Amino acid sequence: MALRLVKPAREHKQAWEQLMREFQQADEKYFYSKTYRQFLRRSRAHEKGKRLPDEPHVPITLYFLMRGDSPKIIGFTDIRHRLNDFLLNDLGGHAGYVIAPSERRKGYATEQLRLALEICREMGINPVLVPCHKDNIASARVIQKNGGVLEDERVSGEGKVFQRYWVEVL
């Protein structure tokens, strides 16, 4: 079945709640909304550049990764519409992606990033900056498979090393 990126909508509520339970069981936290309704409102506002937290935030669009007609959310990706100085020069980037713990190691991330890069191209974002933790070898491979070229490594305020990859989307 083909994978697709879709913007969150009301009909994804149960799938989102299941994804949140899965992340919670894996002791991972990605969304800070208490309800799907709050999450949906926040996502739509952020896409329009409204109700953004303070710097370094810029308009961002979130997409769910879904397989065919299945209602299950396999993962999600977000695309920043532009980079400000902090995101460009520190630890940010245009695109980020996460796969549900139960769906990892199945090749979904490579296709998810490929789809996200297509959206970046359509939005006029080129080249695309995609960062990852240095110790996340699987993520680095996903970026490299999608044409990512390592620019450099930087250290976060918490002392974690990030790698910064640039991907040309022609």
Side-chain angles (χ1 to χ4, degrees):
M1 282 192 178
L3 296 175
R4 60 193 171 95
L5 291 177
V6 298
K7 290 183 182 179
R10 280 186 231 138
E11 64 264 17
H12 301 125
K13 181 180 186 282
Q14 288 182 332
W16 180 84
E17 290 170 346
Q18 176 58 39
L19 183 65
M20 294 303 98
R21 284 190 294 274
E22 189 172 334
F23 283 137
Q24 186 177 27
Q25 290 170 355
D27 200 27
E28 299 176 19
K29 188 169 185 177
Y30 289 101
F31 299 113
Y32 301 97
S33 303
K34 292 182 181 179
T35 68
Y36 186 69
R37 185 175 179 189
Q38 290 172 334
F39 161 77
L40 202 53
R41 274 194 198 147
R42 183 178 293 165
S43 294
R44 290 177 177 166
H46 288 183
E47 181 176 1
K48 296 174 184 172
K50 297 179 180 177
R51 296 187 353 206
L52 294 170
D54 293 333
E55 288 286 343
H57 299 280
V58 298
I60 188 168
T61 302
L62 186 125
Y63 296 87
F64 291 146
L65 179 67
M66 303 185 86
R67 182 178 41 236
D69 292 333
S70 170
K72 182 177 181 179
I73 299 169
I74 297 171
F76 64 89
T77 189
D78 49 33
I79 298 173
R80 291 185 177 97
H81 301 191
R82 61 181 168 77
L83 299 179
N84 57 25
D85 286 341
F86 176 83
L87 295 169
L88 179 62
N89 297 308
D90 202 11
L91 305 175
H94 289 104
Y97 54 91
V98 174
I99 298 293
S102 65
E103 300 292 345
R104 292 177 184 159
R105 301 172 110 33
K106 298 179 182 179
Y108 292 133
T110 300
E111 180 66 6
Q112 181 179 29
L113 181 57
R114 187 191 68 74
L115 293 168
L117 292 169
E118 283 182 14
I119 292 169
C120 288
R121 187 185 75 245
E122 292 168 6
M123 293 174 71
I125 302 169
N126 188 38
V128 178
L129 178 59
V130 185
C132 71
H133 287 99
K134 183 176 182 172
D135 61 357
N136 191 341
I137 296 166
S139 187
R141 285 188 184 137
V142 164
I143 298 166
Q144 292 164 1
K145 286 179 186 175
N146 277 283
V149 176
L150 180 65
E151 176 185 40
D152 62 17
E153 295 180 349
R154 301 192 181 181
V155 180
S156 72
E158 296 91 35
K160 293 191 175 203
V161 179
F162 280 79
Q163 294 180 322
R164 295 166 27 101
Y165 290 85
W166 288 96
V167 183
E168 291 284 335
V169 291
L170 305 174

